[in-house]
Amino acid sequence: MKEVEVESNKRNPWLWISTLYFIEGIPYFLVNEISVILFKKMGVPNGQMALFTSLIYLPWVIKPLWSPFVDIIKKKRWWITTMQIVMAITLILLTITLPSPGEAMIQAGTTPISMFTVTLIFFIITAFASATHDIAADGFYMLALSQKNQSAFVGVRSTFYRLANIFGNGVLVWIAGYLETKTSIPQAWKVTMAIAAAILCLFSIYHIFIIPRPASDKSSIEGSFKSNSSAVMSEFGRTIATYFTKPGVWLAIAFMLLYRLPEAFLLKMCKPFLLDPSDKGGLAMTTQEVGLAYGTLGVAALLAGGILGGIFSSKVGLKKALWWMAACMTLPCLTFVYLSMQLPVNFYVIAICIIIEQFGYGFGFTAYMLYMMYFSEGEFKTSHYAICTAFMSLSMMIPGMFAGFLQESMGYAAFFWLSFACSIATIAVTFFVDRKIDPDYGLK
């Protein structure tokens, strides 16, 4: 057995890191972003759609609560492969049970979300499995690789996670759009979800044989479960206590909840806006066009913004970069104000606006990530960062829950003006946080 472990631990990291983080991204984007387009195309009203797709985000908000048990129960490799199998099976069942509302109901936009109760249950199961998979994969990465290889492959894991974004929001959405022109909308999305399920099945089988078995990957249960779980819960309690007693914690939480507020509102409604017909204030784009403009060109701009943001912040530090990034987080929201007021029909004009907005979001988001790392410094750096990511998820979930109802009552143009007005919150928290940041933090 030891020989098998040694041999498997020498396996080329390229064989599993790239696929592991690609598969980590697929269910996340499927549940949190592609589901928005699916429900929209099925005729679910914006209010109901935004509320329930935002609630599905909950597992990523609360995942720090059960992350200690991923360490004490079973090996991380077991969690990875098991969660992938669970997600694959769940997506297969979701595909089989996906409802088929009538054409008249879809066109009228009156499909009740209650018709998709079973679909939502499967999305929630996928979400919990995906959040648990994230915990295990990130922990396994540190166990299976030496520190040298961890540094060498950090760009690889990030790149393939981003490719999952392009594949999900770009390729899968484009496929759905293409199939919509050949068959009915419900049938098109059933086939698309079946493709996603098939991909997860194939990679799940692949990872069962390819992911290494490092000797260091073991559960922390060596004695009784009771003694180990008690120790973990005691340490978990101390982690929480030290987090909420850190200097400036409430300002930090306010920053994490409010810095992205304009984008949190905008992101939930931008795809419905692109898809809605002009008589409803939308741009009447096809699903294929949305997959290309937003899911491919927009995501590429988002990634470019993030990369350049990282380079810029490493040159000047977080403190000097913060205001530039806050401006990029807020000002590009005006592109959707322009689109909602002018309603252009030219694909290239729309695509350029999306590229500008997404690039600004990617660039501005860099400051947010750096600040979470900055605030997490200390004894429980990893655990405190996990808590910060919970607030990050909450900052997107809460505005998203109300975005659809606000849009339905205000219309798209007024809603996007409201999103831009939320920049006041971004500016306010940036002003107070800027005064507390170490000028040397983030410099190479």
Side-chain angles (χ1 to χ4, degrees):
M1 182 61 184
K2 289 183 178 179
E3 291 180 358
V4 174
E5 288 184 345
V6 171
E7 182 182 348
S8 64
N9 210 26
K10 290 182 178 179
R11 189 165 289 147
N12 190 330
W14 278 102
L15 293 175
W16 60 273
I17 291 177
S18 54
T19 55
L20 176 63
Y21 280 91
F22 181 78
I23 288 303
E24 180 176 308
I26 293 296
Y28 176 86
F29 296 112
L30 197 66
V31 168
N32 292 305
E33 298 189 24
I34 300 174
S35 64
V36 171
I37 302 178
L38 185 155
F39 288 128
K40 181 64 183 176
K41 294 299 294 186
M42 291 288 195
V44 178
N46 285 350
Q48 297 178 39
M49 177 276 296
L51 173 62
F52 284 93
T53 56
S54 295
L55 287 173
I56 297 173
Y57 206 62
L58 182 62
W60 284 275
V61 176
I62 62 175
K63 73 178 183 180
L65 297 179
W66 73 84
S67 59
F69 297 100
V70 177
D71 283 325
I72 68 171
I73 304 174
K74 296 290 186 180
K75 297 178 180 181
K76 291 180 178 61
R77 186 186 190 279
W78 181 89
W79 283 106
I80 290 171
T81 55
T82 302
M83 291 304 104
Q84 287 183 6
I85 292 170
V86 168
M87 289 187 287
I89 293 173
T90 304
L91 287 180
I92 291 172
L93 295 174
L94 187 151
T95 301
I96 295 171
T97 58
L98 191 65
S100 299
E103 184 65 25
M105 187 179 291
I106 291 175
Q107 294 300 321
T110 56
T111 307
I113 194 68
S114 58
M115 182 179 288
F116 295 90
T117 300
V118 175
T119 304
L120 286 168
I121 290 172
F122 285 132
F123 269 135
I124 291 169
I125 295 172
T126 303
F128 274 102
S130 179
T132 305
H133 181 276
D134 292 354
I135 297 167
D138 291 341
F140 185 81
Y141 177 85
M142 292 184 283
L143 289 173
L145 297 177
S146 64
Q147 288 188 2
K148 180 180 179 180
N149 277 339
Q150 286 179 41
S151 299
F153 281 90
V154 68
V156 175
R157 58 181 273 187
S158 176
T159 297
F160 277 87
Y161 187 83
R162 290 166 178 169
L163 286 175
N165 190 355
I166 293 176
F167 180 79
N169 282 297
V171 177
L172 285 180
V173 172
W174 188 92
I175 289 173
Y178 173 77
L179 293 173
E180 286 175 3
T181 65
K182 303 298 181 181
T183 183
S184 66
I185 289 175
Q187 187 62 33
W189 280 96
K190 282 188 177 183
V191 174
T192 302
M193 298 303 289
I195 292 172
I199 290 170
L200 257 91
C201 285
L202 290 173
F203 279 106
S204 298
I205 296 170
Y206 175 78
H207 286 150
I208 288 173
F209 297 100
I210 294 299
I211 290 181
R213 302 174 184 270
S216 56
D217 182 21
K218 54 187 178 181
S219 70
S220 62
I221 299 177
E222 296 177 357
S224 68
F225 176 81
K226 182 177 180 180
S227 62
N228 281 276
S229 60
S230 297
V232 169
M233 291 310 297
S234 175
E235 193 71 358
F236 179 67
R238 197 161 74 90
T239 299
I240 298 293
T242 54
Y243 182 88
F244 285 99
T245 54
K246 290 179 76 117
V249 62
W250 299 112
L251 174 59
I253 292 173
F255 180 83
M256 286 182 271
L257 291 177
L258 298 176
Y259 179 77
R260 301 169 72 194
L261 188 60
E263 199 70 24
F265 277 115
L266 187 146
L267 280 177
K268 187 56 68 172
M269 281 296 105
C270 58
K271 291 176 185 175
F273 166 65
L274 299 175
L275 290 165
D276 261 337
S278 55
D279 61 349
K280 293 185 178 180
L283 296 183
M285 296 178 74
T286 66
T287 308
Q288 283 179 284
E289 289 174 330
V290 172
L292 176 58
Y294 193 93
T296 304
L297 299 177
V299 171
L302 176 72
L303 303 182
I307 292 169
L308 290 179
I311 295 172
F312 179 67
S313 61
S314 70
K315 298 292 185 182
V316 303
L318 173 60
K319 187 175 180 66
K320 289 184 179 179
L322 183 58
W323 278 108
W324 290 100
M325 292 182 172
C328 285
M329 178 64 74
T330 55
L331 293 177
C333 291
L334 285 172
T335 56
F336 274 86
V337 173
Y338 164 77
L339 289 173
S340 62
M341 296 182 71
Q342 297 299 316
L343 299 179
V345 295
N346 188 298
F347 174 83
Y348 297 102
V349 172
I350 298 170
I352 289 171
C353 288
I354 291 172
I355 288 170
I356 292 171
E357 194 277 329
Q358 286 292 283
F359 179 86
Y361 177 48
F363 190 83
F365 184 64
T366 305
Y368 190 88
M369 298 296 290
L370 282 173
Y371 181 77
M372 288 198 300
M373 289 187 281
Y374 171 73
F375 185 73
S376 300
E377 289 290 333
E379 180 184 4
F380 296 101
K381 183 176 181 178
T382 302
S383 298
H384 285 179
Y385 185 79
I387 297 172
C388 287
T389 61
F391 283 113
M392 176 181 72
S393 300
L394 192 64
S395 74
M396 300 301 290
M397 187 183 104
I398 295 176
M401 290 170 61
F402 303 101
F405 295 114
L406 286 171
Q407 183 278 319
E408 287 179 333
S409 64
M410 303 171 68
Y412 281 113
F415 175 80
F416 289 133
W417 272 116
L418 173 65
S419 298
F420 178 68
C422 290
S423 301
I424 296 172
T426 304
I427 293 169
V429 292
T430 300
F431 172 79
F432 288 107
V433 160
D434 179 58
R435 302 163 68 185
K436 304 290 185 180
I437 295 175
D438 181 351
D440 294 327
Y441 184 79
L443 292 169
K444 281 185 176 179

